[in-house]
Structure formats: C-alpha cells, structure tokens
Amino acid sequence: MDTLDNPQAVDPKTVSPWPISMRYGGIAAVVLIILGLVMYLAGLSDPSKSNSAGSWIGNILNFAVMVGAAIIAVRKHRDEELGGYVNFGRAFSVSFLVNLIIAVVSAIWVIAFFSFIAPEMMDAIIEQSKTQMIEQRGMTEEQVEESMSMMGWAFSPVFMSISAGFMMLVMGVIISLIVAAVMKKEAPQAGVM
C-alpha cells in the first residue's frame, strides 16, 4: 500500500489487531457470562431441554453478542486504526480473534459454572440423556447404565467446556467470514482513477 498517494491509509503491518480484538472479545465474553447468569437465575436456561424457549432465546442472544462484538471491533479497527480501509484478511483476523477470545473465556466459564455454580444442571443433563436413551432408542435400564459408564467422561464439566468452546469457535469462524465480507473496504490503488 502506497501511503504517499493515499495519506489517510495506514500500513496494516504497523497496527496490531490484538488490542482491539482482546478489548471487544473480553467485553463480549463478560456480557455473555452476565446474560447466562441472568437466564440461569430467572430459570430460563435448562441445558436438559435443548428445544425450550429459554434455550432459543439464549442462543439468539449469544449469536447477537458475538456478531455485534465482531462488527464493532472490525469497524473501529478499520475506521480508527487503519484510516478507513481494511482488506478481507485483516477484517477476518480481527473478527476471528474476537470470537476466539469469546470461546476461550466461555470455555473457562463453563467449567466454573458446572463445577461450582450449578452442578445440579449436570445431573439434569445426565438424567435427560438416560431418559432419551430409554424412550427414543428403546434401550433397557442395564444398557443405559452400561452406556453411561462408558460415556461418563462426556458428562464432565471439562468435556462440556471443550465442546462448548469448539462449537463457539466454529460459529465464530462462520461469523468472521460473513463480517469480513461485509465490512471490508479496500484502499484505492495508486494510479487508478
């Protein structure tokens, strides 16, 4: 990028995407934790009922916060740090870093939540899984107990944390691709009229 021909443009190599990504990723993670706590205290979140209205509301709010944080971070990075221009790659990296921070903080939060705040929810998830095995798969009590003993690791806070973090990261990649495609604004090339 020739900054002499375009004095407003800033060379992206001189500006790190990390500070703005960490700021908005951290803010979004805190907002998501507060939303989760409010939903839990209001009785709206029940992980054992994945198709409940509270679950849908929580998922929509999580998605909105992730998208909003990515858009704000990319816009501020583009307009305030890069002189109004950002290419697709840089927009994707800022958005992805925001969502990576959200995923990591959320994964740590899931461990704390299921271990200390609401361990009874883990029991409810296990009971719901047993009920589904009996009702939907026609398994006997003995088969369910054998299956649960083999899959006990899948019902630990650490595994729930890893799977939640991974799902948020996958969703974050999709969000980042869309945000980068929408928010990119290429700097005009030197000599092009």
Side-chain angles (χ1 to χ4, degrees), residues 145-158:
E145 289 304 320
E146 183 179 327
S147 177
M148 293 304 281
S149 67
M150 291 181 356
M151 292 179 37
W153 55 270
F155 295 102
S156 71
V158 172

Side-chain angles (χ1 to χ4, degrees), residues 78-79 83-88 91 180-188:
R78 178 189 71 195
D79 296 343
Y85 302 104
V86 67
N87 63 22
F88 178 85
V182 172
M183 299 295 293
K184 72 176 181 170
K185 185 176 179 186
E186 298 286 344

Side-chain angles (χ1 to χ4, degrees), residues 36 39-41 43-48 113-114 117-128 160:
M39 290 187 69
Y40 170 70
L41 294 173
L44 295 173
S45 66
D46 186 0
S48 64
F113 183 78
F114 283 123
I117 298 172
E120 74 279 357
M121 278 196 168
M122 192 61 69
D123 297 333
I125 292 170
I126 292 170
E127 287 305 313
Q128 180 66 22
M160 297 289 263

